[in-house]
Amino acid sequence: MTDTKTYRIKSFGCQMNVYDGERMGELLDEKGMRAAEDGEDADLVVLNTCHIREKAAEKAYSDVGRLKREDGSRPTIALAGCVAQAEGAEAQRRSKMIDVVVGPQAYHRLPDLVAQVEKGERPVDTDMPAISKFDAMPKRRKSGPSAFLTVAEGCDKFCTYCVVPYTRGAEISRPWADIVDEAHALVDGGAKEITLLGQNVSAWRGENEKGQDGGLELLVRALARIDGLERIRYTTSHPADMDEGLIAAHGEVDKLMPYLHLPVQAGSDRILKAMNRHHTVESYLRLVERFREARPDLAISGDFIVGFPGESDAEFEETLQVVRDARYASAFSFKYSPRPGTPAADMDGQVPEEVMNERLQRLQAQLAEQSLAFNRSKIGATMDVLIDRKGRLPGQMIGKSPWLQSVFAETDAQIGDILTVDILDALPNSLAGIIRPKEAAA
Ligand code: 5AD
Ligand code: SF4
């Protein structure tokens, strides 16, 4: 054994946290640390937390507590992510075990903060220096077949239930050249698919190398020209920010995958207004139809909140109706959770837990039925599958369909291969298929 220090980063919550976790790992690698192996004790543990729903902070503190080892010792502990941002120095008052508190806009300083711990300090860094963290990070070197690339951060929408504008700060678009460079580096490092990330990715704006100003469409079209990059996705979009150019791109850019995560949150105009969503049910459904006109096989996915303050039974029924009308292929659904400091937390008519449970169950049953129907509609289809991991059974590999379904197949192909697969069976959350032999695939 060498005395190289090891780290473990645990990311919770959204894909942006996954991205941030990878970048923190790269920063630590650059300082000569290495990722701890499975089962190996790490010298440094980074908890990259999520604050979007209830008990996030409590969960983070109990995760910290569990890091104590049997002999009473513990690793150096850094609390990162949105709980760190929201709690700040309070985190260290609540838990003596937390050595570093570092927010989502300050993590480029993580190695320095860890070095300060070695000098006996307990640093807290929740600054929000505009964009600079990206400039302070090393170039990307290696990548899995499917990579995340943060293009926009923060959110200015202020939906009344959401902490994001407070924990991630104001909306910021990364500059064009930085994004294009990072995409090239990811592809050189092995990525076949890139998912462009932003809490509100559809608000991205920038200027290309010719000085032309534009939105996500311009970026998608440029990235599609990168040789070796086969698939492009983006998430999460806000219905009020989608423009005609982006819709058209879905019909014209082959590399742009036929999948769109477009949260509606609720099916009642009164609730949408109280949520400050800047769209109505009708404008949302019209938008979905326009996307489907551009790309008829588009899979739509969404996010839903049940039990927003004041939501009546009838208003909840409207949510079930929008689920049917938008024909979701998949979705995430949550019980409303009051977040400290957000306007909705102080609204009248907080909905009792039992009512939320019942609504969530009904919504999820409806969504599950639709996902299964969508998956079944692919039985008999032939599709490209990007292999991204090993299955549990010997010889089994798992990949992603263009519609983001997990596809299981037996093959001796490698992670990163794109295979042509005939789909034989569908389950609620996956497809099963057989690989088409190479000559037949032509
Ligand atoms: N309670 C429940 N769900 C929430 N979300 C955001 N804030 C809350 C909250 N306070 C959900 C929204 C969002 C997704 C990322 O999390 O549906 O789209
Ligand atoms: Fe939160 Fe709304 Fe911004 Fe999404 S769009 S991050 S839900 S405030």
Side-chain angles (χ1 to χ4, degrees):
M1 279 301 287
T2 64
D3 60 358
T4 306
K5 293 253 191 214
T6 58
Y7 65 82
R8 174 165 295 122
I9 298 172
K10 293 188 184 173
S11 290
F12 303 89
C14 66
Q15 289 144 322
M16 193 158 296
N17 262 14
V18 175
Y19 175 89
D20 292 344
E22 285 172 10
R23 306 293 328 246
M24 285 189 255
E26 290 164 359
L27 284 159
L28 297 170
D29 290 340
E30 212 195 19
K31 294 287 169 197
M33 295 183 75
R34 68 168 174 84
E37 308 284 342
D38 282 349
E40 183 186 13
D41 253 341
D43 300 305
L44 167 69
V45 174
V46 181
L47 296 175
N48 191 20
T49 56
C50 170
H51 203 234
I52 200 96
R53 275 170 294 276
E54 213 173 2
K55 306 207 176 86
E58 284 64 27
K59 181 177 177 313
Y61 291 116
S62 79
D63 288 344
V64 166
R66 272 201 298 274
L67 292 174
K68 193 174 265 180
R69 302 186 185 113
E70 269 172 21
D71 65 2
S73 69
R74 64 170 177 84
T76 301
I77 298 172
L79 187 73
C82 291
V83 172
Q85 188 67 35
E87 297 277 292
E90 173 66 16
Q92 293 179 331
R93 283 191 283 275
R94 282 187 63 175
S95 169
K96 297 277 168 279
M97 288 171 68
I98 298 173
D99 300 296
V100 174
V101 178
V102 61
Q105 306 305 351
Y107 66 73
H108 54 292
R109 299 185 189 133
L110 179 65
D112 293 342
L113 299 171
V114 171
Q116 287 175 34
V117 176
E118 278 154 25
K119 289 188 228 142
E121 292 165 37
R122 298 177 81 212
V124 175
D125 192 342
T126 51
D127 284 356
M128 291 200 178
I131 212 85
S132 73
K133 76 173 175 207
F134 294 105
D135 298 335
M137 283 191 287
K139 207 173 150 70
R140 313 220 57 181
R141 276 195 212 96
K142 58 181 186 347
S143 170
S146 181
F148 291 133
L149 201 178
T150 294
V151 302
E153 280 236 49
C155 186
D156 291 346
K157 286 283 185 290
F158 290 94
C159 298
T160 52
Y161 49 80
C162 186
V163 283
V164 164
Y166 312 97
T167 57
R168 290 267 171 179
E171 214 162 75
I172 289 164
S173 295
R174 282 182 74 191
W176 176 274
D178 292 11
I179 296 168
V180 173
D181 284 355
E182 189 168 329
H184 276 285
L186 287 167
V187 172
D188 292 346
K192 298 263 175 75
E193 170 176 278
I194 291 182
T195 302
L196 306 176
L197 297 182
Q199 258 85 34
N200 184 11
V201 75
S202 43
W204 184 87
R205 287 207 75 82
E207 204 176 79
N208 70 8
E209 66 285 350
K210 295 185 204 119
Q212 186 185 359
D213 176 69
L216 207 53
E217 174 210 357
L218 197 66
L219 190 58
V220 164
R221 288 185 191 273
L223 296 179
R225 290 195 287 273
I226 298 179
D227 283 339
L229 178 60
E230 306 296 341
R231 294 178 163 196
I232 301 170
R233 305 178 185 275
Y234 60 88
T235 199
T236 294
S237 304
H238 191 289
D241 286 335
M242 310 301 274
D243 62 32
E244 288 304 324
L246 189 58
I247 296 174
H250 275 272
E252 293 163 10
V253 180
D254 288 342
K255 292 182 182 180
L256 188 55
M257 290 293 102
Y259 176 94
L260 177 66
H261 185 60
L262 191 65
V264 67
Q265 310 295 358
S268 135
D269 284 342
R270 193 189 72 86
I271 296 291
L272 289 175
K273 193 148 198 255
M275 287 177 162
N276 191 32
R277 286 290 294 175
H278 304 282
H279 62 82
T280 61
V281 174
E282 198 199 326
S283 70
Y284 177 85
L285 289 174
R286 218 178 324 118
L287 182 63
V288 165
E289 282 320 307
R290 271 156 52 212
F291 271 100
R292 286 212 168 101
E293 278 160 25
R295 181 80 205 222
D297 65 340
L298 190 71
I300 305 277
S301 99
D303 288 342
F304 293 89
I305 296 175
V306 301
F308 184 82
E311 185 187 66
S312 67
D313 286 340
E315 284 163 340
F316 169 67
E317 295 297 330
E318 291 183 84
T319 294
L320 294 179
Q321 189 58 44
V322 83
V323 169
R324 288 188 285 265
D325 290 345
R327 291 178 278 130
Y328 289 98
S330 67
F332 303 94
S333 46
F334 313 101
K335 287 186 275 189
Y336 168 71
S337 163
R339 310 312 296 130
T342 60
D346 298 322
M347 286 180 188
D348 293 336
Q350 301 286 326
V351 175
E353 189 70 21
E354 320 80 76
V355 176
M356 286 204 279
N357 286 337
E358 202 240 40
R359 288 181 188 169
L360 188 68
Q361 241 177 29
R362 285 184 61 202
L363 173 62
Q364 291 186 338
Q366 168 80 33
L367 288 165
E369 199 179 292
Q370 286 182 215
S371 312
L372 183 58
F374 178 75
N375 289 348
R376 284 203 175 127
S377 74
K378 301 294 181 198
I379 295 176
T382 301
M383 59 179 71
D384 285 345
V385 173
L386 171 56
I387 301 296
D388 58 10
R389 64 204 146 106
K390 286 197 167 111
R392 277 210 204 109
L393 306 176
Q396 188 187 54
M397 298 296 276
I398 308 173
K400 286 283 180 324
S401 79
W403 302 274
L404 211 58
Q405 297 144 300
S406 290
V407 182
F408 290 71
E410 265 178 43
T411 170
D412 52 13
Q414 303 298 306
I415 288 175
D417 289 348
I418 296 180
L419 305 176
T420 309
V421 178
D422 292 324
I423 301 303
L424 301 178
D425 201 5
L427 295 162
N429 294 313
S430 61
L431 301 174
I434 50 167
I435 310 298
R436 196 167 258 224
K438 278 231 163 50
E439 50 286 5

